[in-house]
Amino acid sequence: MIRTVQAALVAAVLTVVAVVVPVGPAAAAASCSTSSSQAIVGGYRVTLRCDEAGYIHGFGRTLTDANLEALRLYQLYLTYGVSCRGSLIDSLVGGFDVSIYCPGSYTNSFGSNLTDAAAEARELVTMRLSGGPDCDGTTVAAIVGGYRVTLFCTVRYVRGQGSTLTEAAQIARLTAALG
């Protein structure tokens, strides 16, 4: 029950943050405080210290995006009780690869920029935690007109193609979700 109320509070805070409130107050309202931030290749990494969830790392193209991604990972904790954190980043053809660590597993996905890659990895984690397919980004290929992303989902490969790396990753994820 408490997690449900906290999740609703974080969702409300994230909505308000995206519209008008600076990043700092959002972290405090979500029972988190910013522990550190640093510039990295492609953007920023923000580390939050969130009560029982521990340290949560978020990545983004801007400092605000990184902080919001960390808060969204905290929201996953409040919703599903699993403490996940951004783990690794790598640059690749067309953009970035972001890995999110949840106890016992890593989930990778891709995006044209660091914010999109982090969001796509989080969406794959959310899909798995909500009972959908368990998918992980495996490869990216430049093709005529754009990119192809391949996900491995439990026992099958799913591919998506798009004009940008983000669009290819989104199409692959949506294809996996539809079965």
Side-chain angles (χ1 to χ4, degrees):
M1 175 68 180
I2 291 175
R3 279 195 187 136
T4 304
V5 171
Q6 288 176 323
L9 175 63
V10 170
V13 168
L14 288 174
T15 301
V16 171
V17 167
V19 178
V20 293
V21 179
V23 175
S31 301
C32 297
S33 71
T34 303
S35 173
S36 67
S37 62
Q38 69 184 92
I40 58 173
V41 172
Y44 295 87
R45 174 181 140 168
V46 168
T47 302
L48 300 180
R49 171 69 176 101
C50 298
D51 294 343
E52 63 280 349
Y55 289 95
I56 298 173
H57 311 291
F59 299 108
R61 183 177 48 165
T62 67
L63 191 56
T64 299
D65 289 348
N67 202 11
L68 287 171
E69 275 305 313
L71 285 168
R72 288 179 180 121
L73 289 173
Y74 179 59
Q75 187 174 23
L76 283 181
Y77 172 77
L78 294 174
T79 304
Y80 299 104
V82 178
S83 184
C84 301
R85 66 181 183 273
S87 175
L88 303 168
I89 65 156
D90 195 14
S91 56
L92 47 81
V93 63
F96 292 89
D97 174 359
V98 168
S99 179
I100 293 178
Y101 175 76
C102 301
S105 69
Y106 287 89
T107 301
N108 288 47
S109 195
F110 314 105
S112 301
N113 60 59
L114 200 49
T115 299
D116 290 350
E120 278 304 305
R122 180 179 38 79
E123 289 294 336
L124 289 177
V125 168
T126 302
M127 188 167 68
R128 176 178 52 83
L129 292 175
S130 66
D134 183 0
C135 299
D136 187 34
T138 58
T139 62
V140 169
I143 60 173
V144 174
Y147 300 90
R148 177 178 36 241
V149 165
T150 303
L151 303 177
F152 181 73
C153 301
T154 313
V155 296
R156 68 186 180 110
Y157 287 96
V158 176
R159 290 180 180 84
Q161 297 182 35
S163 300
T164 68
L165 185 54
T166 297
E167 291 167 344
Q170 289 170 338
I171 290 167
R173 176 177 47 84
L174 292 173
T175 300
L178 293 173

